[in-house]
Amino acid sequence: MRWSTAIVASVLAAFGSAEPIRRHPSSVPFPASCPGVTKQTPFNLTTAPGWKHALIATGLSRPRAVLFDKAGQLLVLEAGKGLTGHTLDPATGCIATSKTLIANPALNHGLALSPDGKTVYVSSMPTAWSYAYDASTMTLTNQTVVVRGMNPGGHPSRTLAIPPNKPNLLIVSLGSEDNIDHASINKETGRAIVKVFDLSQTPAGGWTYNTQGWYLGYGLRNEIALVFDGNNHVWGVENSGDNLERTINGQVADVHHDNPAEELNYLGDPSISNEQWYGYPTCWTVGPGGPAAFLPTDGPFTVGDQFTVTPNSTFNDASCEAQSTPPRLTIQAHSAPMDGKFDKNFKNMYVSLHGSWNRVPATGYKVVEIPFKKTVEGKGKGKGKGKGKDQEVTYEPVAAQDDPNGYRDILWTENVATCNAGICLRPCGITWHPDWSRMYVTSDGSVGELYILYKE
Ligand SMILES: *[C@@H]1O[C@H](CO)[C@@H](O)[C@H](O)[C@H]1NC(C)=O
Ligand SMILES: *[C@@H]1O[C@H](CO)[C@@H](O)[C@H](O)[C@H]1NC(C)=O
Ligand SMILES: *[C@@H]1O[C@H](CO)[C@@H](O)[C@H](O)[C@H]1NC(C)=O
């Protein structure tokens, strides 16, 4: 069908975008299955109405991160193996060829590509490297240390991200040493923080993580997912604590099934230092289903409230409310968010929820969609001259901060209540195909898999 002027005009009115939205602007077919790729895992998957999925690769080594290079080829960070490159068969949409680009078993999560596609960044626990990348031959040269001296233990992921509009900035997330890392209240420990480094000034031997660069928040237990909104500002999705008990007036309540909530935090403009404290390891977030778990004498709590596990005469929940930056939205406790990506028009953020070990019944093991809205404030809102002047555009979830249902499932494991990491989907890396027709989602469970997820 050709786009008539009237349809384009109504689409523009509805979406405010310069480009018409098409249902399938796809350059490659959607395979229902791929030759030689057979499901090795017992779980069954379901998608929300309007969505479809297909398994396109199996037998990967813990695929943690995935992205497209400028030639439409997939780069996959396989933990314990290294970095692999994959071409797509234009006739089928299946994987045509695969090769190992970096053989390094220490690589375990982080993967980023410079906006011009010419530099690849990868990380182990202590180190982040850059490589010059030639997409035409899928080769990497000139390995260079860009960040060094990161905590060699603790939560292992070192998520890497480069703002699309600031190719000289490298954002590196580093989680806590353990569940409750008391020392990390001091951000100079270099843990439970997100930091930013200027790649145009990298000193010989690389930036030293703990003492150089600037902050993009601290008191962030394990901010594995870093996501850019339409302003190129950063949202972090946090893996919060396990096994929490709340002790008040000598009475102990096990609140851990639904508390603390996983957090969607606004970390802001990465070119500006953000030294806000996000609460860890002292203040936590009341989760969906959480208020009921507290003692009747406790609270009252609303979802999203900040609390401490052992209120005392000098530090209580009110102290947390006053000092801790709360999340903009909560996600079910123990879901374990791993990665996130916005769609083309920043209307939804897609987040992979790896799945729980610390909750009965189990939760997560799915991909969710968080609807976002764009707000334009200030002068120059109208048309013509002056349009856009003094305007402030912001992005935030549609749901209110205390809404426990601010997201919806789009791909999930059936019978999730009995899931465990050995048998169920373990969604991890997410990326969009460059034509925006589909997402690629890795699963790093007992068998490493790659799925496509798309709207019918
Ligand atoms: C998956 O679905 C098949 C067919 O309905 C069923 O036989 C099998 O038990 C299911 N597997 C699990 C783990 O639920
Ligand atoms: C290797 O990378 C470093 C750091 O980016 C750069 O300064 C140097 O010019 C590169 N060398 C070559 C041969 O490309
Ligand atoms: C009160 O709680 C705070 C925060 O957990 C803690 O740092 C402080 O040591 C506690 N004070 C007392 C007297 O226990």
Side-chain angles (χ1 to χ4, degrees), residues 182 281-283 308-316 319-320:
H182 293 287
T282 319
C283 299
T308 181
V309 284
T310 47
N312 62 34
S313 55
T314 58
F315 199 94
N316 58 22
S319 319
C320 284

Side-chain angles (χ1 to χ4, degrees), residues 70-221:
K70 296 289 173 191
Q73 303 164 137
L74 279 163
L75 301 183
V76 179
L77 194 295
E78 299 188 46
K81 178 177 182 179
L83 182 69
T84 55
H86 310 264
T87 59
L88 295 180
D89 183 335
T92 62
C94 294
I95 287 174
T97 66
S98 298
K99 71 168 179 170
T100 299
L101 311 187
I102 305 172
N104 180 355
L107 301 188
N108 70 346
H109 185 88
L111 172 65
L113 183 68
S114 60
D116 69 3
K118 291 181 180 164
T119 310
V120 163
Y121 299 87
V122 292
S123 61
S124 66
M125 279 197 260
T127 311
W129 293 272
S130 69
Y131 290 81
Y133 180 57
D134 181 348
S136 69
T137 54
M138 265 199 190
T139 47
L140 293 154
T141 51
N142 195 16
Q143 174 188 303
T144 307
V145 172
V146 288
V147 180
R148 64 180 172 185
M150 294 189 278
N151 183 24
H155 281 113
S157 303
R158 310 285 178 254
T159 306
L160 308 177
I162 298 188
N165 66 335
K166 297 263 167 61
N168 62 315
L169 300 185
L170 179 66
I171 307 171
V172 187
S173 175
L174 205 160
S176 60
E177 176 65 25
D178 45 25
N179 185 31
I180 301 178
D181 181 352
H182 293 287
S184 74
I185 186 85
N186 209 334
K187 60 186 183 305
E188 288 73 27
T189 54
R191 302 196 299 268
I193 59 177
V194 177
K195 284 193 103 166
V196 187
F197 301 91
D198 183 350
L199 295 166
S200 68
Q201 312 280 329
T202 308
W207 292 107
T208 300
Y209 191 79
N210 292 10
T211 54
Q212 298 182 304
W214 60 89
Y215 293 93
L216 198 57
Y218 76 105
L220 297 160
R221 182 176 176 278

